Amino acid sequence: MRTGLRIEIRGTVQGVGFRPWVYRLAHELGVAGRVHNHARGVTIAAFGPAATLDRMVARLREPPLPARVRELVAAPIPTEPGEEFVIVHSAEGGPRTLSIPPDLATCPDCAREIADPADRRFGYAFTNCTSCGPRFTIATGVPYDRPATTMAPFVMCPACQREYDDPQDRRFHAQPNACPVCGPQLALWDRDGTPLDAREPIHAAAERIKRGEIVAIKGLGGFHLACDATRDETIAVLRARKHRDEKPFAVMVADLPRARVLAELSAEEEALLASPERPIVLVRRRVGGRLGAVVAPSTDLVGLMLPYTPLHHLLLAQVGGPLVMTSANVSDEPICADNTEAVQRLGAIADALLVHDRVIATRCDDSVARIIAGQPTLLRRSRGYVPRAIALKAPVARPVLAVGAQLKNTFCVAVGDSAYLGPHIGDLDNLAAFGFFETAIARMEEVLRVTPEVIAHDLHPGYLSTQYARDRSAVLHVAVQHHHAHVASAMAEHGLVGPVLGVAYDGTGWGPDGTAWGGELLLVHPGRYERVATFRPVALAGGDLAIREPWRVALALVDDAFDGAAPLARIPAFARIPARSIELVRQMIRARINAPLARGVGRFFDGIGALGLRRTHASYEGQLAVAWNLVAAPDDHGAYPFDITDEATLPAIDLRPLVRGVVADLLDEVAPAIISARFHATLIRATVERVRAAIAIHGRIPVVLTGGAFHNPQLADGIRRGLADLEVHVHGDVPPGDGGIALGQALVADAVARHG
Ligand code: ZN
Ligand code: ZN
Ligand code: FE
């Protein structure tokens, strides 16, 4: 007997070939009815025998990637006559769930076409289909249809239109569908923006790169600066022009076999590199490999990625070797995305620009990921992942905007039971980044058709994000403590309602007492928290200067541990520091002038790393911390002692015994690898002990590890092993560092909005 079913589907179901797949499925099963897109997702009306409709529902739950079904609700409806199944055009209206997918890496079918001289898309840099291509970065509104993208000005040629209209075609309703006849075109410009007579712009750009030039290349979410990754002298020029001393550059290689030549890859790392999201994956460089040390000075960790647009495939095929592909910006400004802006901002860095005439609607930097504790962990969640929703355990009471922190900023909009983290904005302390922050928030609100009623921000009054939040009108503003937000972001990711014990280890975050927090154990319910342990603080002489000059932290640690009677003359890290500078730092600490106390676990890595590595300066934040982690010997070499002392009724992990142990080992000329291993083991033991002490009081509740210090795989692994009998969660889809904090702010603000 013929019955009817209305099937509501939510998830990543627009712009990924979902409707044509439903169409083909209906034809295969002999089901009549219709399917249409709307702002909340996809709705199907299906008519046929009940058993057939059941089979259809079962199949619908598992669509081919990259489509994903998050929620499927089926309800009976009266049957209708007719034998056809049709695709109905998108209907306007109905707010609140964003079904725009993230940008997708070129699929194997499209990659084959551009390499096939017989194909009409041979060598065409903007080839895409329903399984791949730009999405979020070209979307200007919802529903996600061609008129609401930056492909709107390109009128499809008859051949493309036929593909677009044919439900059996791979390009049926592929919104960015294009070909050399009708689609976007490349051009090669000189640094002043003057078009160069390059009939084959990709070939000409490749020739320049092979000659040792730097070429700015317009990609999916912005420009890259590209050059030959094996030419040390070119990379040195790039560093000088970009004002970037030592921070590693990302490298793009044509395929996995070529990646294996440069780095030692695990199976998990290879899978992550080849995933449709195509993040930059941090991996260990192969010793003595082809990648010059200049790509990533004084670290063995390099960021590799595989091509994710046809342009990348074509370019790498011409260049052959690995390319440096670094975000095109000066220092901490946002990634450059507009052609005119590129000439202004990149003209002094690049020798030429490879541009095109498809507009980037929203900038989106490359994402960065690393395998931590055997799982992919996003360290920067942006292109390829944004704006995929994070499903919340319970819907938010009112729409929330959370504006994130100051550094590595991302924002988050939560509506219903979905949270949308925005693209990586970067450090808000420059004007350009702040402008990007404002426009990206406006765009997200526009595509979600939402006006946030609750606005969440950091407790720090000086953050530009905080000031932006306060300037906006809302029903409720909620200030969220930094580490509370870190823990809440892990709770949101794992659907934990609390209470949980949160191990929040990072660089710094404003505490309600006006001091910098950074190594905190918190008992967290969504809307509130209690601090259960911290670290004995260390003075940062010179404030932020101490982050660039970790010897200052090292000196403070050593003086504290030895009561000022440390054998400084025999500690190598201080050998090159003038006595006058040492005296000055000591005076600052004694007089408490510009020497704020910090508890950031990152600072202990800096300071002890400086001692162990015999280094005094860092050219970017966290440089020594990463190096200190990488040097650690893998085997068990024991640990140093530590104390628990009271910090105004709060137990504090006191690392003075550790510092004395480190100094003793240095004087005994113990290898840095072993000192680092012992340092890690001590932090792990101290953390495990404090967590167990808290569990003894508060019961067996889940534990989450969060904060930028958990970019360190050894720390996360070690604590997990030490707490193997407990439920311990680490981050995966949401960054452990400040790039994930907005999600936690949103969750906390919602809880406050509910319960006051
Ligand atoms: Zn494709
Ligand atoms: Zn065409
Ligand atoms: Fe943080």
Side-chain angles (χ1 to χ4, degrees):
M1 205 190 72
R2 185 176 164 113
T3 57
L5 214 52
R6 180 187 170 89
I7 306 164
E8 298 281 357
I9 296 176
R10 292 173 57 185
T12 304
V13 291
Q14 291 186 8
V16 289
F18 188 74
R19 283 175 303 166
W21 175 73
V22 172
Y23 173 91
R24 290 190 291 269
L25 180 64
H27 275 249
E28 180 193 323
L29 299 172
V31 170
R34 60 190 167 268
V35 56
H36 77 275
N37 258 358
H38 48 80
R40 293 179 307 279
V42 163
T43 299
I44 300 166
F47 308 105
T52 310
L53 296 188
D54 284 350
R55 268 170 55 211
M56 181 164 181
V57 168
R59 296 273 297 275
L60 283 171
R61 289 184 193 278
E62 279 167 21
L65 283 174
R68 284 163 202 250
V69 170
R70 239 181 68 203
E71 193 183 308
L72 186 154
V73 181
I77 50 169
T79 183
E80 291 173 23
E83 293 310 315
E84 259 197 311
F85 191 92
V86 293
I87 295 170
V88 182
H89 265 274
S90 298
E92 275 284 326
R96 309 222 151 168
T97 295
L98 182 60
S99 302
I100 299 172
D103 301 279
L104 302 160
T106 309
C107 74
D109 288 335
C110 288
R112 205 175 316 113
E113 286 172 349
I114 60 171
D116 175 6
D119 194 278
R120 72 187 190 93
R121 289 190 173 84
F122 175 60
Y124 184 54
F126 303 92
T127 302
N128 65 84
C129 72
T130 45
S131 300
C132 75
R135 299 287 189 274
F136 173 67
T137 54
I138 59 166
T140 53
V142 281
Y144 173 71
D145 259 345
R146 193 167 175 115
T149 70
T150 58
M151 283 300 291
F154 299 94
V155 178
M156 275 185 275
C157 69
C160 286
Q161 188 70 49
R162 259 197 307 281
E163 295 166 336
Y164 185 89
D165 290 335
D166 177 4
Q168 303 288 358
D169 194 278
R170 218 175 87 231
R171 297 198 163 89
F172 174 68
H173 284 198
Q175 306 308 344
N177 188 27
C179 78
V181 175
C182 65
Q185 301 295 330
L186 288 167
L188 190 69
W189 292 356
D190 76 5
R191 59 198 321 170
D192 307 318
T194 312
L196 296 165
D197 178 33
R199 231 153 279 202
E200 292 183 64
I202 296 176
H203 179 75
E207 288 305 311
R208 283 169 175 265
I209 288 169
K210 286 197 269 188
R211 282 206 302 269
E213 291 191 12
I214 297 163
V215 180
I217 297 174
K218 188 174 183 180
L220 217 46
F223 277 79
H224 282 115
L225 289 162
C227 71
D228 184 341
T230 62
R231 274 180 179 255
D232 283 354
E233 65 289 355
T234 307
I235 298 170
V237 170
L238 178 58
R239 286 200 180 280
R241 291 186 190 165
K242 207 173 180 256
H243 304 298
R244 181 150 155 169
D245 301 342
E246 296 196 348
K247 216 168 178 177
F249 285 137
V251 171
M252 185 180 272
V253 285
D255 48 31
L256 279 178
R258 286 184 177 85
R260 287 182 201 118
V261 173
L262 303 179
E264 300 175 30
L265 301 176
S266 67
E268 290 86 1
E269 286 165 342
E270 294 196 356
L272 188 54
L273 273 168
S275 68
E277 292 86 1
R278 295 285 158 103
I280 295 169
V281 182
L282 299 184
V283 293
R284 279 216 186 226
R285 161 171 42 198
R286 211 174 262 289
V287 187
R290 273 184 73 207
L291 271 193
V294 188
V295 170
S298 52
T299 174
D300 285 334
L301 212 56
V302 290
L304 291 188
M305 65 178 148
L306 296 183
Y308 55 83
T309 69
L311 176 56
H312 297 151
H313 284 284
L314 296 164
L315 185 69
L316 279 157
Q318 302 246 359
V319 176
L323 286 182
V324 162
M325 286 288 258
T326 184
S327 287
N329 54 7
V330 182
S331 301
D332 294 324
E333 289 181 3
I335 186 169
C336 185
D338 173 86
N339 291 356
T340 321
E341 179 195 8
V343 172
Q344 288 161 3
R345 283 173 57 194
L346 308 177
I349 305 178
D351 299 300
L353 296 90
L354 184 58
V355 300
H356 61 71
D357 52 0
R358 187 177 70 201
V359 173
I360 295 171
T362 303
R363 294 165 213 263
C364 211
D365 251 292
D366 291 320
S367 296
V368 181
R370 188 173 183 186
I371 298 291
I372 296 179
Q375 312 176 57
T377 305
L378 285 175
L379 307 184
R380 181 204 282 166
R381 187 182 189 277
S382 206
R383 194 258 315 145
Y385 298 88
V386 173
R388 188 187 298 160
I390 294 154
L392 299 177
K393 182 91 173 172
V396 292
R398 300 160 176 272
V400 185
L401 165 68
V403 296
Q406 174 85 350
L407 303 180
K408 300 176 183 70
N409 179 280
T410 63
F411 62 85
C412 177
V413 177
V415 203
D417 58 2
S418 299
Y420 303 93
L421 274 172
H424 169 78
I425 309 272
D427 296 353
L428 282 187
D429 42 18
N430 77 71
L431 216 56
F434 189 74
F436 176 28
F437 169 80
E438 287 184 306
T439 54
I441 290 175
R443 171 59 50 79
M444 187 68 98
E445 290 175 4
E446 194 178 308
V447 296
L448 284 169
R449 293 189 187 149
V450 69
T451 306
E453 292 168 28
V454 176
I455 298 188
H457 58 84
D458 196 274
L459 203 56
H460 198 305
Y463 284 0
L464 284 181
S465 52
T466 301
Q467 290 166 17
Y468 167 88
R470 288 187 178 163
D471 286 346
R472 275 190 61 153
S473 64
V475 175
L476 184 67
H477 287 87
V478 182
V480 184
Q481 199 278 326
H482 190 90
H483 302 91
H484 184 195
H486 270 305
V487 176
S489 83
M491 292 169 72
E493 181 177 353
H494 297 290
L496 304 171
V497 291
V500 305
L501 271 176
V503 179
Y505 287 177
D506 67 355
T508 187
W510 188 267
D513 54 1
T515 70
W517 291 15
E520 313 300 326
L521 182 58
L522 305 179
L523 174 68
V524 175
H525 300 264
R528 62 199 159 84
Y529 69 94
E530 189 185 316
R531 197 180 186 198
V532 290
T534 185
F535 275 79
R536 178 183 171 86
V538 59
L540 296 186
D544 282 348
L545 191 60
I547 292 168
R548 286 299 186 104
E549 297 189 13
W551 69 268
R552 292 165 178 260
V553 185
L555 179 62
L557 285 169
V558 165
D559 272 348
D560 189 28
F562 288 87
D563 269 330
L568 278 204
R570 293 163 63 204
I571 301 174
F574 301 116
R576 270 166 298 162
I577 307 292
R580 241 176 13 147
S581 303
I582 289 181
E583 195 39 48
L584 193 68
V585 163
R586 283 180 161 161
Q587 278 172 17
M588 290 167 87
I589 294 173
R590 260 199 309 272
R592 298 192 173 227
I593 295 165
N594 193 19
L597 293 179
R599 300 160 197 283
V601 169
R603 299 290 90 83
F604 297 119
F605 270 88
D606 287 350
I608 305 292
L611 291 175
L613 297 165
R614 301 156 158 78
R615 302 256 300 265
T616 55
H617 290 65
S619 75
Y620 53 94
E621 183 175 1
Q623 185 184 23
L624 292 199
V626 172
W628 188 228
N629 169 234
L630 284 174
V631 81
D635 310 318
D636 183 14
H637 294 280
Y640 297 112
F642 62 91
D643 269 342
I644 302 296
T645 49
D646 264 7
E647 277 269 319
T649 75
L650 199 64
I653 297 170
D654 179 345
L655 295 179
R656 283 177 298 179
L658 170 144
V659 174
R660 290 191 287 268
V662 168
V663 169
D665 276 353
L666 282 170
L667 300 188
D668 281 350
E669 290 179 28
V670 173
I674 291 171
I675 299 178
S676 175
R678 290 175 181 167
F679 168 76
H680 280 81
T682 314
L683 272 186
I684 290 163
R685 278 190 198 179
T687 306
V688 166
E689 192 207 285
R690 277 301 96 200
V691 168
R692 292 206 179 277
I695 291 279
I697 298 167
H698 302 286
R700 288 176 69 90
I701 54 178
V703 178
V704 304
L705 310 182
T706 186
F710 289 103
H711 286 197
N712 176 333
Q714 232 167 330
L715 197 60
D717 265 341
I719 294 173
R720 283 231 298 198
R721 269 200 303 276
L723 298 171
D725 55 317
L726 297 174
E727 182 187 334
V728 181
H729 298 274
V730 296
H731 283 276
D733 192 31
V734 177
D738 286 3
I741 213 164
L743 175 64
Q745 292 176 340
L747 199 79
V748 172
D750 177 60
V752 171
R754 267 164 213 285
H755 309 296

